[in-house]
Amino acid sequence: MESKKMSNLLSFEKPVAQIQRRIEDLEKESQEKNIDLSVSIEQLRTELKLELQQIFSQLSRWEKVMVARHPERPKLIDYIKVLIPDYLYFCGDRLFRDDPAIFGAMGHINDNQLIMVIGHYKGKNTRDNIQCNFGMANPEGYRKALRLMRLAEKFRAPIVTLIDTPGAYPGIEAEEHGQSEAIAMNLREMFQLKVPILSIVTGEGGSGGALGIGVGDKIMMMEHAIYSVISPEGCASILWRDASKASEVAEKLKLTAQDIMKFKLIDEIINEPVGGAHRNHREATDSVKKCILQWLNQSEKISWNQDLLDQRYEKYIRLASFDHVKNLMKDIRSSEENL
Amino acid sequence: MESKKMSNLLSFEKPVAQIQRRIEDLEKESQEKNIDLSVSIEQLRTELKLELQQIFSQLSRWEKVMVARHPERPKLIDYIKVLIPDYLYFCGDRLFRDDPAIFGAMGHINDNQLIMVIGHYKGKNTRDNIQCNFGMANPEGYRKALRLMRLAEKFRAPIVTLIDTPGAYPGIEAEEHGQSEAIAMNLREMFQLKVPILSIVTGEGGSGGALGIGVGDKIMMMEHAIYSVISPEGCASILWRDASKASEVAEKLKLTAQDIMKFKLIDEIINEPVGGAHRNHREATDSVKKCILQWLNQSEKISWNQDLLDQRYEKYIRLASFDHVKNLMKDIRSSEENL
Amino acid sequence: MISFKKNNTPKIVKPGPNLEAEARDWTKCPGCRALLYNKHLSENYQICPKCNHHFRLNSREWLRLLSDEGSFCPLFEEFEAEDILEFTDNETYVERIKKACKKTNANEAIQTGTCTIEGHKIAIGVMNFHFIGGSMGVVVGEKIVRLTTLATEQKLPLLILSASGGARMQEGMFSLLQMARTAGAIGRFQKENGLYLSLLTHPTTGGVSASYAFLGDVIIAEPQALIGFAGARVIEQTTRQKLPPRFQTAEFLVEHGQIDKIVERKVMKKVIARILSFYQEGWSSHGVKKNE
Amino acid sequence: MISFKKNNTPKIVKPGPNLEAEARDWTKCPGCRALLYNKHLSENYQICPKCNHHFRLNSREWLRLLSDEGSFCPLFEEFEAEDILEFTDNETYVERIKKACKKTNANEAIQTGTCTIEGHKIAIGVMNFHFIGGSMGVVVGEKIVRLTTLATEQKLPLLILSASGGARMQEGMFSLLQMARTAGAIGRFQKENGLYLSLLTHPTTGGVSASYAFLGDVIIAEPQALIGFAGARVIEQTTRQKLPPRFQTAEFLVEHGQIDKIVERKVMKKVIARILSFYQEGWSSHGVKKNE
Ligand SMILES: [Zn+2]
Ligand SMILES: [Zn+2]
């Protein structure tokens, strides 16, 4: 496993840091003294991997939140570069402003299939972060996303949306320019696009701002991504006027990919490299690419006309419906009885 | 004829002012001294009417510009009150701002036919004027107009647009928010509305800002309205860097209803009261109402589906086409030869 | 879901022991602090005659105000919330629902059905802020989807009155997805040329405002209603800017082009009826066009 | 129609008598005042290698730059402007047209036809600013309408390169109406899923910018190109405000969300070809979808 040096270590990653440091020391020693320490190093690497596997299989929901928000997690642009290397980007909502918090580009995946990738962009460094508002889009971002989706429709290019946002931007101008209208319009219009849509939550799926580009024929989540109706901090401050209770609230919100898969609200979980996507961008992006290719393969079989729209609509008629909940509750009860 | 007291006398109206003053004097005398002067008054009134007829039948093009811009000319709201007394207005572009320079309302004409009236609003007084930008719309105004037209389509209400603007607003924000895009979009989308559209130039038809709500199945102009690719002032300052040559340029631009009718670019001229619409609002608005009713009557016979769109499109394929011009030139040449 | 401190529900004045019975008949106006006789308040559409303060109506009161007497037929009453997340804060979600039902004498934050408004038959949904802040969970979403589907099938105009703090966080992702479900249903309805009137009352925010509330062909708001996506406090904390006056009020939204008009409660029924009559006429007066 | 003071056409340096022949080979860059050898300038797409100043290309030069060699088939060349208004300012309109024809060796402000771009067949229109400021009169409108109709019928992508001060005032209302005619034609084309690429060069303003130029499915601009509706001078006079830096430049428009991207002249053909290949693939790769 190719492991990166971590500048942002999460608290629960500390045990791993020691092993990593030991590996680094041995590597240095091996080089300086020109001796073969590969056996010891390999051993430590295995140890590291096991430790990471151990830690990341037992993350609490709040720890998952921290992984999903990890600053070194792959960002939209990392995915785009790997997914569609010959990409062309398109800017602007044709109305008011180009919002850098939403970015979209068209290009070929695997050299032969054209797709449009649209997502939230959090930025790769502090300057970027600020420019992109940490991935919190304004209405013009959502309107640009819709314009690009319609462009994809004209090009007959399937759409992949990559979700990674704390939420829509809570700003004065955002309210003035119709944050509500922009998100609502996307939710409505995404049902009308005659090309297949896949939505993947790659990091943070923050409420309406995430869903605003998230209506898809299929919905997937990365292994350590989260998707929530409200941020744990926001929820805590409403319930107890105390944002510091966020970690406690995260447990209640059941916002991990695993929770949501269990609820049957998503179609698939995309595996991450051992220790999380932030430890190995290449493996993470490849994993996403593989899932997209599989999905494209399935989508070939549907004819891209009213049928596609009907299927999408039917999906959402069932999804999170009263019957859906009822059936889940029945399943839960019967499995409890069987214990 | 019910004549208003003029607070804004145009230079060429001066001869009329004297007669008016004499009428007022006689009326006053008759009342104060309680004597019957009705014969003399009636005589003067006839004189006034003849004088007005004389003056207004010989207006130069620049004088027409001044009549079309007359501050006491009926404004959008005067028309709406007479045309659709039970009107309901609708605000906003759902994007950025409600632009008071464009106003739209739905209601019944003649108690039985629902229509949507949308137009430029110049305002009725100085405060209004400023708020409405003297009828110069921003992009949000054009976007609101389009939204209201689509609403009319949903209500199956024919659309009447009333044009009265010096032009689209030349402002910084207007450019930032896409004045070009907004007007272009309206021009394109008005071809797609499945309800009949009538455009009437009631006053000033100022270039792209006028046309931006002016694509119709029929186009009419009031007798003293103007319609021009550029304002005489603007044209003069481009040609000679001297806006004061506007009166001279007005002659060149051939921008009167009569010119444009002769060019076969409009379908009808709507008669104004003797001495211009500003002298008798009631007669002017009634005249417009009559023309709308006639048009509605014709529109009943077309089925409001693709046929309507095809007819509208065909109209504009012919209108101002190369063949149109060629045929006009032929007519002019042959009539010259016949002299 | 946003929390609202200022609750403008009529507050019964706490009286001295002897005056108790009498005092129940009086309400103190939070706008101007005048003591108002409940009967008069009720006759005045729950609007303070002194300062025009609009007291909040519950869904039943709204239905009484808008629909023709006896015309409301409730639909989809059978749906009741489930605690799929097993959510507990200061109390369990199950307990919270139970209390809300008791308090509002209703089983969810929206009443749906059909009614007539000055003779025009419509599909109607009316939210109730008193039921867990009018929050949208699975049942609210389900009822709106079903109501909209019914309106599409029966070719009825659709009216939804919103009063909500947003999505119901106690139902997690199930709540959030109601935004997409309702928006999808309304899109289908509108594609079939259905007329959707959205009526926004105090407050309409969060996941409700960013889904069906802002998809109305015509959007009407009550005067002074708070309408927006994000909570004012969150905006202040995030931007560290002072909020402009009247921020997120209905008046602010009209100015910013987001809604069609503000209508006083007293004439609300009349205005809606006029829109409905306009719409039905357009459809019936031209045989040719009807069939498209 | 807006007038442009700053003409960035290459200006031949006025030489002393003996140097005349030689000097014709050199051009002074208005951007950095460097003396540039015309041959080098031409090899560098008429871009100053010192300061990146983009000299203006005429329609023929653009066609040479964009289309595959020998692939351009001119269409609708037969249309010539008529002086229907009998317009005279400092000279008659007839005279003005004659001069423009002579100067540009073309008969109108746009060249239209078909060509291939890296093998992709398209309908193409290229405006020529040197012909009466690239102004749009009846003939320009007519050629665009016919080109667009052809593109619709033959299912070709459409590319229009704009370079224009706006409508041609010498043709009065006939000019203005070209805005509606071209927009209508492009709307029909786009409804049939036709791809329209709009390429904006310096300057694109007035009636051209407010019609076909801003209707592109994809809108591309050259760096630093002046693009806008109203003239900067008019805006200053009307608003009495100082114009922001880079006002109405391509860069300003990207920031304000009005156009898709800025593309350097050197890679323009490549970028357009890539878009065309994306589009044609999408259509050809899925048999099922092709027939819709
Ligand atoms: Zn009060
Ligand atoms: Zn230079």
Side-chain angles (χ1 to χ4, degrees):
Chain A
M1 202 193 100
E2 181 200 334
S3 60
K4 289 174 66 179
K5 282 176 201 159
M6 301 281 103
S7 52
N8 291 282
L9 264 184
L10 300 174
S11 55
F12 51 87
E13 288 178 312
K14 294 245 163 81
V16 160
Q18 282 188 342
I19 308 177
Q20 258 178 307
R21 207 168 310 118
R22 274 161 57 206
I23 294 173
E24 278 163 33
D25 291 346
L26 285 186
E27 280 172 338
K28 209 174 155 191
E29 198 185 329
S30 153
Q31 213 170 11
E32 283 171 0
K33 306 188 179 160
N34 200 16
I35 48 175
D36 185 0
L37 297 169
S38 61
V39 176
S40 316
I41 292 174
E42 213 40 56
Q43 218 167 16
L44 277 170
R45 285 216 173 119
T46 310
E47 200 183 318
L48 173 71
K49 193 169 172 176
L50 286 170
E51 185 72 35
L52 280 169
Q53 257 165 349
Q54 172 75 1
I55 293 171
F56 276 78
S57 66
Q58 298 180 343
L59 293 178
S60 74
R61 293 194 174 91
W62 178 244
E63 286 166 343
K64 286 263 191 183
V65 170
M66 287 189 281
V67 176
R69 290 175 179 170
H70 198 290
E72 285 166 25
R73 215 173 153 77
K75 297 296 186 305
L76 177 64
I77 201 68
D78 302 309
Y79 288 107
I80 284 183
K81 280 179 181 162
V82 170
L83 296 174
I84 45 173
D86 66 343
Y87 73 89
L88 274 174
Y89 64 85
F90 302 94
C91 291
D93 61 352
R94 297 274 167 90
L95 296 165
F96 176 70
R97 200 173 73 97
D98 182 60
D99 185 348
I102 297 267
F103 183 83
M106 211 189 303
H108 289 88
I109 185 165
N110 242 19
D111 285 333
N112 55 21
Q113 171 64 54
L114 188 69
I115 60 170
M116 174 78 92
V117 180
I118 299 168
H120 303 98
Y121 184 48
K122 284 185 168 179
K124 297 276 295 174
N125 53 50
T126 312
R127 204 174 129 265
D128 262 25
N129 294 154
I130 289 164
Q131 220 200 334
C132 300
N133 239 336
F134 297 85
M136 294 182 284
N138 274 283
E140 47 269 25
Y142 292 102
R143 289 174 184 142
K144 162 176 157 182
L146 183 57
R147 191 178 80 74
L148 265 52
M149 290 185 212
R150 287 183 175 143
L151 194 63
E153 192 182 30
K154 173 157 273 190
F155 279 77
R156 313 304 287 164
I159 296 164
V160 176
T161 67
L162 300 183
I163 294 170
D164 186 18
T165 180
Y169 187 60
I172 293 169
E173 283 205 333
E175 296 290 320
E176 288 176 348
H177 299 167
Q179 192 69 282
S180 293
E181 195 272 350
I183 292 174
M185 200 54 79
N186 281 16
L187 296 178
R188 188 181 82 187
E189 294 305 308
M190 286 184 82
F191 280 96
Q192 303 297 338
L193 296 164
K194 287 185 181 170
V195 285
I197 306 173
L198 165 64
S199 287
I200 303 174
V201 186
T202 59
E204 231 182 328
S207 74
L211 192 63
I213 59 167
V215 176
D217 298 300
K218 287 268 182 281
I219 312 168
M220 302 182 185
M221 286 180 74
M222 302 278 285
E223 191 181 343
H224 302 302
I226 57 163
Y227 206 169
S228 182
V229 66
I230 187 169
S231 71
E233 290 86 348
C235 188
S237 80
I238 288 177
L239 290 179
W240 294 293
R241 309 212 169 281
D242 183 359
S244 70
K245 292 203 170 166
S247 61
E248 198 178 312
V249 167
E251 288 303 313
K252 298 177 189 296
L253 284 170
K254 310 238 163 101
L255 40 59
T256 68
Q258 292 68 32
D259 289 324
I260 296 167
M261 188 72 192
K262 216 176 71 190
F263 288 145
K264 300 184 180 167
L265 294 175
I266 53 172
D267 299 284
E268 211 171 315
I269 291 177
I270 301 175
N271 285 332
E272 293 192 21
V274 173
H278 58 289
R279 292 186 168 262
N280 193 331
H281 283 199
R282 190 74 218 185
E283 212 182 308
T285 49
D286 279 348
S287 187
V288 167
K289 184 174 169 183
K290 216 182 82 195
C291 287
I292 294 174
L293 286 170
Q294 276 168 0
W295 167 73
L296 282 169
N297 219 18
Q298 293 159 20
S299 302
E300 291 275 321
K301 287 159 200 148
I302 311 156
S303 73
W304 299 0
N305 53 25
Q306 187 61 38
D307 291 355
L308 180 69
L309 303 192
D310 288 347
Q311 281 183 34
R312 190 178 303 149
Y313 186 70
E314 289 305 323
K315 178 195 177 86
Y316 280 85
I317 286 297
R318 286 190 306 271
L319 196 73
S321 69
F322 187 74
D323 283 349
H324 181 155
V325 173
K326 268 286 180 199
N327 290 333
L328 276 176
M329 298 290 283
K330 216 186 289 169
D331 291 354
I332 293 169
R333 271 177 211 132
S334 71
S335 68
E336 275 167 0
E337 276 163 23
N338 289 342
L339 288 179
Chain B
M1 200 194 99
E2 182 201 332
S3 58
K4 289 174 65 180
K5 281 175 201 161
M6 301 282 103
S7 52
N8 292 285
L9 264 183
L10 299 175
S11 55
F12 51 87
E13 286 179 313
K14 293 246 164 77
V16 160
Q18 281 189 342
I19 310 177
Q20 258 180 309
R21 208 169 309 118
R22 274 159 58 208
I23 293 173
E24 277 165 32
D25 289 347
L26 285 185
E27 280 174 337
K28 206 173 157 195
E29 198 185 330
S30 153
Q31 212 173 11
E32 279 172 1
K33 303 190 179 161
N34 201 16
I35 49 177
D36 185 2
L37 296 170
S38 61
V39 177
S40 319
I41 292 173
E42 213 39 55
Q43 221 167 12
L44 276 171
R45 287 217 169 120
T46 309
E47 202 182 315
L48 173 72
K49 191 169 174 176
L50 286 169
E51 186 71 35
L52 279 170
Q53 255 162 353
Q54 173 74 1
I55 294 170
F56 275 80
S57 65
Q58 298 179 342
L59 294 179
S60 74
R61 292 194 175 90
W62 178 244
E63 286 166 342
K64 285 264 192 184
V65 170
M66 287 190 281
V67 176
R69 290 174 179 172
H70 199 292
E72 283 166 26
R73 211 170 156 78
K75 296 297 186 306
L76 177 65
I77 200 68
D78 303 309
Y79 288 106
I80 284 183
K81 280 179 182 162
V82 170
L83 295 174
I84 44 171
D86 65 344
Y87 74 89
L88 274 175
Y89 65 86
F90 301 94
C91 291
D93 61 353
R94 296 272 167 92
L95 295 167
F96 177 68
R97 200 174 71 100
D98 183 60
D99 185 349
I102 297 268
F103 184 82
M106 212 190 300
H108 289 88
I109 186 163
N110 242 19
D111 285 335
N112 55 22
Q113 171 63 55
L114 188 69
I115 60 172
M116 174 77 91
V117 181
I118 299 168
H120 304 98
Y121 184 47
K122 284 185 169 180
K124 299 275 295 172
N125 53 50
T126 312
R127 206 176 127 264
D128 263 24
N129 295 154
I130 291 165
Q131 219 201 334
C132 299
N133 239 337
F134 297 87
M136 293 182 285
N138 274 285
E140 47 268 26
Y142 293 102
R143 290 175 184 142
K144 163 176 157 180
L146 183 57
R147 191 180 79 76
L148 265 51
M149 290 184 212
R150 288 185 173 143
L151 194 63
E153 192 183 31
K154 174 156 271 190
F155 278 78
R156 313 303 288 162
I159 296 164
V160 177
T161 66
L162 300 182
I163 293 169
D164 187 18
T165 180
Y169 187 62
I172 293 170
E173 282 206 332
E175 296 291 320
E176 289 176 346
H177 300 168
Q179 193 70 281
S180 292
E181 195 272 353
I183 292 173
M185 200 53 78
N186 280 17
L187 296 178
R188 187 181 83 185
E189 293 304 308
M190 286 183 83
F191 280 96
Q192 302 297 338
L193 296 165
K194 287 186 180 170
V195 286
I197 306 173
L198 167 62
S199 285
I200 303 174
V201 186
T202 58
E204 230 181 329
S207 74
L211 191 63
I213 59 166
V215 176
D217 299 299
K218 288 267 181 280
I219 312 168
M220 302 183 185
M221 286 180 74
M222 301 279 286
E223 190 181 344
H224 302 302
I226 57 164
Y227 206 168
S228 183
V229 66
I230 187 170
S231 71
E233 291 86 349
C235 189
S237 79
I238 287 177
L239 290 177
W240 295 293
R241 309 212 170 280
D242 182 359
S244 71
K245 292 203 170 165
S247 62
E248 200 178 309
V249 167
E251 288 305 313
K252 298 179 190 294
L253 285 170
K254 309 243 165 97
L255 42 58
T256 69
Q258 292 70 33
D259 289 325
I260 295 167
M261 188 72 191
K262 218 176 72 192
F263 288 144
K264 299 184 182 168
L265 294 175
I266 53 172
D267 298 282
E268 211 172 314
I269 291 178
I270 301 175
N271 287 331
E272 294 193 20
V274 173
H278 57 289
R279 292 185 169 263
N280 193 330
H281 282 197
R282 189 75 217 183
E283 215 181 304
T285 49
D286 279 349
S287 189
V288 168
K289 183 174 169 181
K290 219 181 80 196
C291 288
I292 294 174
L293 286 171
Q294 275 168 2
W295 168 73
L296 282 170
N297 220 17
Q298 293 160 21
S299 303
E300 292 275 322
K301 286 159 201 148
I302 312 157
S303 74
W304 299 0
N305 52 26
Q306 187 62 36
D307 292 355
L308 180 68
L309 302 192
D310 288 346
Q311 281 183 35
R312 190 178 303 148
Y313 187 69
E314 289 306 323
K315 178 194 177 89
Y316 279 85
I317 286 297
R318 287 190 305 271
L319 196 74
S321 69
F322 187 75
D323 283 349
H324 181 155
V325 174
K326 268 286 181 202
N327 290 332
L328 275 176
M329 297 292 284
K330 215 185 290 169
D331 292 354
I332 292 167
R333 272 176 209 135
S334 73
S335 69
E336 273 167 2
E337 276 162 23
N338 289 340
L339 285 181
Chain C
M1 186 175 148
I2 298 162
S3 67
F4 295 92
K5 263 185 182 168
K6 276 188 297 181
N7 187 334
N8 70 358
T9 311
K11 268 209 188 81
I12 303 301
V13 185
K14 288 264 159 72
N18 287 342
L19 292 165
E20 222 174 72
E22 204 180 297
R24 248 177 241 125
D25 298 337
W26 295 85
T27 297
K28 191 172 189 175
C29 174
C32 66
R33 317 209 140 258
L35 267 186
L36 306 170
Y37 192 41
N38 285 346
K39 191 161 162 280
H40 292 162
L41 198 54
S42 158
E43 281 164 6
N44 200 36
Y45 308 90
Q46 301 287 342
I47 301 165
C48 170
K50 307 254 160 77
C51 75
N52 204 32
H53 174 83
H54 283 55
F55 287 92
R56 182 179 286 135
L57 302 185
N58 65 32
S59 51
R60 255 180 302 270
E61 288 167 321
W62 269 117
L63 280 167
R64 208 175 302 130
L65 192 142
L66 293 177
S67 64
D68 299 339
E69 212 184 320
S71 73
F72 178 67
C73 293
L75 283 168
F76 320 122
E77 296 274 274
E78 66 274 25
F79 299 112
E80 284 173 21
E82 295 279 356
D83 180 22
I84 181 89
L85 261 64
E86 300 174 344
F87 198 98
T88 301
D89 43 89
N90 294 323
E91 57 190 334
T92 65
Y93 180 42
V94 172
E95 197 55 42
R96 201 179 276 276
I97 296 166
K98 228 181 260 172
K99 275 192 192 162
C101 289
K102 206 174 153 193
K103 174 179 154 202
T104 60
N105 197 20
N107 63 357
E108 252 301 346
I110 192 167
Q111 281 190 275
T112 49
T114 62
C115 75
T116 63
I117 292 183
E118 291 190 7
H120 303 283
K121 191 176 173 188
I122 62 162
I124 189 167
V126 178
M127 297 191 79
N128 191 346
F129 190 79
H130 298 109
F131 195 105
I132 315 186
S135 57
M136 169 173 65
V138 170
V139 173
V140 169
E142 186 72 31
K143 285 171 101 168
I144 286 175
V145 168
R146 293 193 182 228
L147 182 73
T148 307
T149 308
L150 177 112
T152 311
E153 285 165 1
Q154 302 194 3
K155 296 195 177 301
L156 295 176
L158 172 68
L159 170 70
I160 301 177
L161 183 145
S162 293
S164 172
R168 188 175 296 169
M169 56 194 181
Q170 291 88 348
E171 295 186 21
M173 269 304 287
F174 289 90
S175 281
L176 185 68
L177 285 166
Q178 305 310 316
M179 291 173 69
R181 299 182 75 222
T182 54
I186 281 166
R188 287 233 149 179
F189 170 73
Q190 289 174 323
K191 266 228 139 180
E192 305 273 315
N193 213 51
L195 176 71
Y196 167 35
L197 304 181
S198 176
L199 182 43
L200 313 184
T201 69
H202 179 82
T204 298
T205 60
V208 166
S209 98
S211 61
Y212 54 88
F214 266 92
L215 292 173
D217 295 299
V218 178
I219 303 179
I220 296 171
E222 275 215 291
Q224 294 154 43
L226 172 68
I227 301 160
F229 177 69
R233 213 172 32 165
V234 176
I235 296 173
E236 261 178 336
Q237 281 167 4
T238 311
T239 65
R240 293 169 198 285
Q241 280 182 285
K242 218 172 108 67
L243 303 182
R246 304 185 312 144
F247 185 62
Q248 293 187 323
T249 61
E251 292 73 15
F252 177 89
L253 272 108
V254 169
E255 229 171 77
H256 286 284
Q258 301 300 321
I259 61 177
D260 283 284
K261 56 205 299 159
I262 293 170
V263 175
E264 294 264 341
R265 196 176 284 172
K266 292 178 199 190
V267 292
M268 191 63 90
K269 182 174 182 173
K270 238 170 93 182
V271 169
I272 289 171
R274 193 185 292 178
I275 296 174
L276 292 173
S277 81
F278 282 6
Y279 177 68
Q280 276 168 359
E281 235 172 87
W283 277 91
S284 58
S285 68
H286 292 277
V288 205
K289 295 138 242 163
K290 222 181 183 175
N291 303 325
E292 278 168 48
Chain D
M1 184 174 148
I2 297 162
S3 66
F4 295 91
K5 263 184 183 170
K6 277 187 296 178
N7 187 333
N8 70 358
T9 310
K11 267 209 190 82
I12 304 300
V13 185
K14 287 266 159 69
N18 285 341
L19 293 166
E20 222 172 70
E22 202 181 298
R24 246 178 243 124
D25 296 336
W26 295 84
T27 297
K28 191 173 189 173
C29 173
C32 65
R33 316 206 141 260
L35 267 185
L36 306 170
Y37 191 41
N38 284 348
K39 192 163 160 275
H40 293 163
L41 199 53
S42 159
E43 281 164 5
N44 199 36
Y45 309 90
Q46 302 285 342
I47 300 165
C48 171
K50 308 255 162 74
C51 75
N52 205 29
H53 174 84
H54 283 55
F55 287 93
R56 184 179 285 134
L57 301 186
N58 65 30
S59 50
R60 255 180 302 270
E61 289 168 320
W62 268 117
L63 279 168
R64 208 174 304 130
L65 193 141
L66 292 177
S67 64
D68 298 339
E69 212 183 320
S71 72
F72 179 65
C73 293
L75 283 168
F76 321 122
E77 295 274 274
E78 66 274 25
F79 299 112
E80 286 173 19
E82 295 278 358
D83 179 23
I84 182 87
L85 262 62
E86 299 173 345
F87 198 98
T88 302
D89 44 89
N90 295 325
E91 59 189 334
T92 65
Y93 179 42
V94 172
E95 198 54 42
R96 200 178 278 275
I97 295 167
K98 229 181 261 170
K99 276 191 193 164
C101 289
K102 208 174 151 192
K103 173 178 153 203
T104 59
N105 195 21
N107 64 358
E108 252 299 348
I110 192 167
Q111 281 190 275
T112 48
T114 61
C115 75
T116 62
I117 294 184
E118 291 191 5
H120 302 283
K121 191 175 173 191
I122 62 160
I124 188 166
V126 178
M127 298 191 78
N128 191 345
F129 190 79
H130 299 108
F131 196 104
I132 315 184
S135 58
M136 169 174 64
V138 170
V139 173
V140 169
E142 187 72 32
K143 284 171 101 167
I144 286 175
V145 167
R146 291 193 183 229
L147 181 72
T148 307
T149 308
L150 177 111
T152 311
E153 284 164 3
Q154 302 193 2
K155 295 194 179 302
L156 294 176
L158 173 68
L159 171 71
I160 300 178
L161 182 145
S162 293
S164 171
R168 187 174 296 169
M169 56 194 182
Q170 292 88 348
E171 295 186 22
M173 267 306 284
F174 288 91
S175 281
L176 186 68
L177 285 167
Q178 305 310 317
M179 291 172 69
R181 298 182 76 224
T182 53
I186 282 166
R188 286 233 152 180
F189 171 73
Q190 288 174 323
K191 266 225 137 182
E192 305 274 314
N193 213 51
L195 175 72
Y196 167 36
L197 304 182
S198 177
L199 181 43
L200 313 183
T201 70
H202 179 81
T204 298
T205 59
V208 166
S209 97
S211 59
Y212 53 88
F214 266 95
L215 291 174
D217 295 300
V218 177
I219 303 179
I220 294 170
E222 275 215 291
Q224 293 155 45
L226 173 69
I227 301 160
F229 178 69
R233 212 172 33 167
V234 177
I235 296 173
E236 262 178 336
Q237 281 167 6
T238 311
T239 64
R240 292 168 198 288
Q241 278 182 284
K242 216 174 112 63
L243 303 182
R246 305 185 309 143
F247 186 60
Q248 291 187 324
T249 60
E251 292 73 16
F252 177 89
L253 270 106
V254 169
E255 226 171 80
H256 286 283
Q258 302 298 321
I259 61 177
D260 284 284
K261 57 203 300 159
I262 294 171
V263 175
E264 294 266 342
R265 197 176 282 172
K266 294 178 199 191
V267 291
M268 191 65 89
K269 182 174 181 173
K270 236 169 95 181
V271 170
I272 289 172
R274 192 184 294 179
I275 296 174
L276 292 172
S277 82
F278 281 7
Y279 177 68
Q280 277 168 358
E281 233 172 274
W283 277 92
S284 57
S285 68
H286 291 277
V288 206
K289 297 137 241 166
K290 222 180 181 176
N291 303 323
E292 277 166 50

